[in-house]
Amino acid sequence: MRGISHMPSYVVMQPTTLCNLDCRYCYLPLRRADNRMSVEVAKAVAADVNVWAQEGRFSVVWHGGEPMAAGIAHLSALMAPFAPEVEHHLQTNATLIDDAWCDFFTERQMRVSVSVDGPESFNHERIDRGGQPGYRKISNGIARLRQHGLPFAALCVVSEPRPGIAAPLYEYFLNLGCDVLGINVEEHEGVNTRQTRHDPASVRAFWAELLAAWRIAPAVHLREVEWSLRYLTAVLDGTDDDLLPRRLDPIPTIAFDGSVVLLSPELAGFHDPRYGDFSSGNVLTTPLARLLTGTHPPWVDEFVTGVEACRESCPYFGFCGGGHAANRYFEHGRFDGTETEHCRNSKINLLEGVLGYAATSRPAHSENPPCTRGANSSA
């Protein structure tokens, strides 16, 4: 895996910067402003995406802000230029889901991922603009999805990864009915400057406990655990070099105004005296495909240098692949640093927790062995 690919596997679209919640750990800088993407921006992106979708599976991920805050009519207009072959995913806090939205998801065959942090007592960071808990509205939205028979994924932020919470967390999502679960340990990025350093032993114990709970009832595709098991299996088989792509996915994020930020959606909307606005250009003036094959901003090259430093120095590189640009920038102030708190919490201690569990546990007694297929998520 060297350099940046000219061909993405998906694009992230920001239909609006607005969010109706005010989560304490949110990284978004413009979530109080309703800056909406124009249809002209969507048409410009679709011109290239439609070509890529003819060559193989391709996805558009609608991610805000809260993308549903744009409204059904506007989101429908933004989706209209895309060919039928393009898959559409939406990351939402679920508070605005009603029957009309469920009909929209069904008609568009849209894949929905819901942000929810577990049982009601685990969601104290997810509040509205008045400081009131958002859980009841989130729960009502999820209930609507289930009433309409719509499959959905879940994305959970864990602010304090420690033993004792992983088992009830997994039990909640098992009963919730989601088919895929992603666990994001809270990250220091964007406007969220809270401390994210945790005791390594506690983090490892959290991941081990989560794996133990999943093995008892592996009905949900548990993203991080399955990634870990797939990697460890490949190491044992001697095929681990085949897991990482040959080049980094550029993950182009198209901001509401058409500007394109590569590698990390979390960088959109920010400006730095050295790096500028992190944009590689704008789809309203330059086709997306040309932006991906042209000269990248200097910070992208700096990030690639950091990835190579990780390759040379970190024994976990085969699992991690060099980390994320936003984590490097917001933790180190630059892109060529190496280890971050995100690496420690969600890569190193994740893998060590899984290995620790494997070393001390007996085989689970189950007629259906755990699935180790990697699970994709729109978040």
Side-chain angles (χ1 to χ4, degrees):
M1 187 184 72
R2 297 183 185 275
I4 309 294
S5 175
H6 294 161
M7 175 68 182
S9 59
Y10 64 98
V11 300
V12 179
M13 301 279 281
Q14 186 181 51
T16 178
T17 58
L18 180 66
C19 186
N20 59 323
L21 292 186
D22 196 23
C23 302
R24 293 187 178 97
Y25 50 61
C26 183
Y27 63 85
L28 293 167
L30 302 173
R31 63 183 185 271
R32 292 179 177 270
D34 189 9
N35 299 307
R36 294 196 179 193
M37 177 178 285
S38 69
V39 174
E40 288 70 26
V41 169
K43 288 180 178 178
V45 176
D48 286 310
V49 165
N50 291 343
V51 174
W52 294 331
Q54 296 298 320
E55 301 173 8
R57 182 178 181 184
F58 199 90
S59 300
V60 172
V61 179
W62 300 94
H63 198 303
E66 169 50 56
M68 291 175 59
I72 290 179
H74 190 61
L75 188 57
S76 180
L78 294 177
M79 292 174 62
F82 293 93
E85 294 81 8
V86 177
E87 297 180 8
H88 292 275
H89 299 244
L90 180 136
Q91 184 67 44
T92 177
N93 61 36
T95 59
L96 301 176
I97 294 177
D98 57 16
D99 292 333
W101 273 108
C102 289
D103 291 340
F104 178 80
F105 298 149
T106 300
E107 292 165 4
R108 300 305 181 104
Q109 297 182 310
M110 204 165 193
R111 175 68 182 177
V112 177
S113 178
V114 174
S115 298
V116 59
D117 298 338
E120 185 169 7
S121 61
F122 285 40
N123 280 263
H124 57 277
E125 305 282 21
R126 302 186 61 76
I127 56 175
D128 63 20
R129 301 216 172 278
Q132 298 302 306
Y135 179 79
R136 296 298 174 87
K137 290 182 179 180
I138 296 170
S139 182
N140 289 340
I142 294 172
R144 290 292 182 93
L145 291 174
R146 297 185 64 171
Q147 289 166 8
H148 283 258
L150 288 167
F152 63 96
L155 187 63
C156 169
V157 174
V158 176
S159 295
E160 292 292 337
R162 53 181 172 78
I165 69 168
L169 192 69
Y170 182 74
E171 182 180 8
Y172 169 85
F173 286 105
L174 187 65
N175 295 325
L176 189 68
C178 61
D179 53 11
V180 178
L181 172 61
I183 301 291
N184 285 355
V185 176
E186 182 181 338
E187 301 169 36
H188 174 160
E189 60 185 6
V191 297
N192 179 25
T193 59
R194 303 195 318 180
Q195 192 276 127
T196 58
R197 178 169 295 181
H198 305 288
D199 172 56
S202 293
V203 181
R204 291 194 295 269
F206 166 81
W207 289 117
E209 181 182 309
L210 190 65
L211 171 56
W214 176 78
R215 289 202 71 201
I216 294 171
V220 177
H221 287 295
L222 188 49
R223 186 182 63 181
E224 284 72 23
V225 164
E226 294 190 11
W227 284 351
S228 303
L229 295 177
R230 183 174 60 172
Y231 172 71
L232 294 172
T233 299
V235 170
L236 293 174
D237 292 343
T239 60
D240 49 302
D241 187 54
D242 297 332
L243 291 180
L244 292 177
R246 296 301 93 185
R247 290 178 176 270
L248 286 164
D249 194 319
I251 317 177
T253 294
I254 319 302
F256 74 95
D257 60 357
S259 59
V260 179
V261 175
L262 303 183
L263 297 171
S264 286
E266 297 85 359
L267 293 171
F270 287 92
H271 186 278
D272 182 272
R274 282 201 302 145
Y275 304 110
D277 63 0
F278 303 104
S279 172
S280 294
N282 194 296
V283 296
L284 292 176
T285 56
T286 308
L288 179 58
R290 191 184 305 171
L291 291 176
L292 296 180
T293 57
T295 302
H296 296 310
W299 73 263
V300 175
D301 295 330
E302 186 176 292
F303 172 71
V304 172
T305 298
V307 171
E308 292 305 310
C310 285
R311 185 195 308 276
E312 296 299 321
S313 64
C314 183
Y316 300 90
F317 181 83
F319 176 58
C320 175
H324 301 294
N327 295 118
R328 294 171 185 268
Y329 172 70
F330 289 115
E331 290 194 34
H332 296 313
R334 54 186 304 113
F335 292 94
D336 54 2
T338 53
E339 191 172 305
T340 64
E341 292 299 336
H342 173 69
C343 294
R344 299 182 189 101
N345 293 330
S346 299
K347 300 296 182 180
I348 296 172
N349 287 319
L350 163 61
L351 199 59
E352 291 295 335
V354 170
L355 285 168
Y357 171 84
T360 58
S361 66
R362 297 179 178 179
H365 296 289
S366 174
E367 295 180 1
N368 299 309
C371 172
T372 56
R373 178 177 65 84
N376 294 321
S377 173
S378 62

